[in-house]
Amino acid sequence: MSFLKTWVWAVVIACLLHAPAAADPWTLSNDDGSFTVGGQVPGGVYSDLLAANVLSAGDLYYRYNDLNYRWVSKENWTYSSVLNVDADVLSHARVALVFEGLDTAAEVFINGRGIGKSTNMFARYVFDVKNNLKASSDNSIDIWFESPLEYSKRQYDIQSADYVVPPKCLPAAYQGECHANHIRKMQSAFSWDWGPAFPNSGVWSR
Ligand SMILES: *[C@@H]1O[C@H](CO)[C@@H](O)[C@H](O)[C@H]1NC(C)=O
């Protein structure tokens, strides 16, 4: 019984990721702040930038827009919002923030402090946040996503010091990106024979 009680976390703040009833509860920005647009959670940077007309050459699948829009995947992107937390939530023994799908290499900040990192798009991440939240309607949450191309290249550089895991790159005709096998991410995001490369970032599930 007491075991149960300890684990009755505040019916988890994942609900809070449904966020306030504002039109655009999340904003999306890159590291140097040259782009700040409304963001959707769940969603991804390509669809948010398309909706904001930052990607102004039209549909993602039109002609060579996979190449025209490739710069998106070379940026780091941050989804930001606020969490409304009342004192009841914080009275529980444990308060956890649950992510069902972070795509992919990310660090989560609550009120400016890092509370956890993810490197696997397919895994659920549970972060303890009781000590980072205040009973307030404006706890900031920022989810920083490193460029998947940069992350996977770094992992490749580290791992390949021992031996190379093929394929190092895809056939040139795919017009894709290398090192998909060094990131726990949907592999076709770096292109496949049947599809273009759109190495996305974002919260794909909640
Ligand atoms: C992305 O973040 C990494 C790690 O902090 C940094 O080295 C890199 O310069 C950033 N890239 C851009 C385009 O801001």
Side-chain angles (χ1 to χ4, degrees):
M1 193 58 197
S2 71
F3 174 83
L4 268 180
K5 223 164 152 187
T6 317
W7 289 86
V8 176
W9 337 327
V11 181
V12 180
I13 305 200
C15 314
L16 292 176
L17 289 179
H18 288 261
D24 268 332
W26 292 84
T27 57
L28 170 66
S29 52
N30 59 344
D31 270 9
D32 70 9
S34 51
F35 297 106
T36 300
V37 301
Q40 295 296 316
V41 171
V45 295
Y46 282 98
S47 39
D48 287 336
L49 294 169
L50 190 63
N53 208 32
V54 169
L55 302 182
S56 56
D59 190 271
L60 298 181
Y61 297 113
Y62 181 66
R63 293 197 166 182
Y64 291 107
N65 276 351
D66 57 327
L67 297 177
N68 294 334
Y69 295 160
R70 190 66 48 84
W71 64 270
V72 170
S73 60
K74 297 175 180 162
E75 296 277 334
N76 309 312
W77 294 99
T78 302
Y79 280 88
S80 302
S81 190
V82 290
L83 299 176
N84 185 354
V85 178
D86 61 38
D88 276 2
V89 169
L90 297 179
S91 70
H92 291 264
R94 186 182 177 205
V95 179
L97 191 52
V98 178
F99 292 95
E100 300 287 346
L102 293 172
D103 179 14
T104 292
E107 183 164 11
V108 181
F109 297 85
I110 299 279
N111 294 322
R113 290 184 56 188
I115 54 119
K117 293 184 180 184
S118 72
T119 54
N120 188 335
M121 174 183 182
F122 309 108
R124 169 190 293 137
Y125 285 86
V126 179
F127 302 129
D128 286 302
V129 290
K130 184 176 159 90
N131 297 331
N132 298 96
L133 292 169
K134 333 168 266 194
S136 154
S137 60
D138 69 346
N139 291 275
S140 68
I141 176 168
D142 300 288
I143 312 173
W144 179 82
F145 293 93
E146 182 175 8
S147 155
L149 305 188
E150 196 171 277
Y151 172 84
S152 57
K153 171 69 164 62
R154 187 170 66 250
Q155 299 306 313
Y156 166 80
D157 287 344
I158 295 167
Q159 190 280 322
S160 63
D162 294 332
Y163 54 92
V164 171
V165 179
K168 192 170 156 188
C169 286
L170 299 161
Y174 292 15
Q175 309 202 89
E177 295 292 338
C178 303
H179 311 309
N181 56 355
H182 284 80
I183 182 169
R184 293 274 180 217
K185 178 175 174 64
M186 179 182 78
Q187 295 290 286
S188 59
F190 281 42
S191 88
W192 210 261
D193 55 354
W194 46 259
F198 286 102
N200 214 345
S201 290
V203 182
W204 73 269
S205 175
R206 66 181 176 195

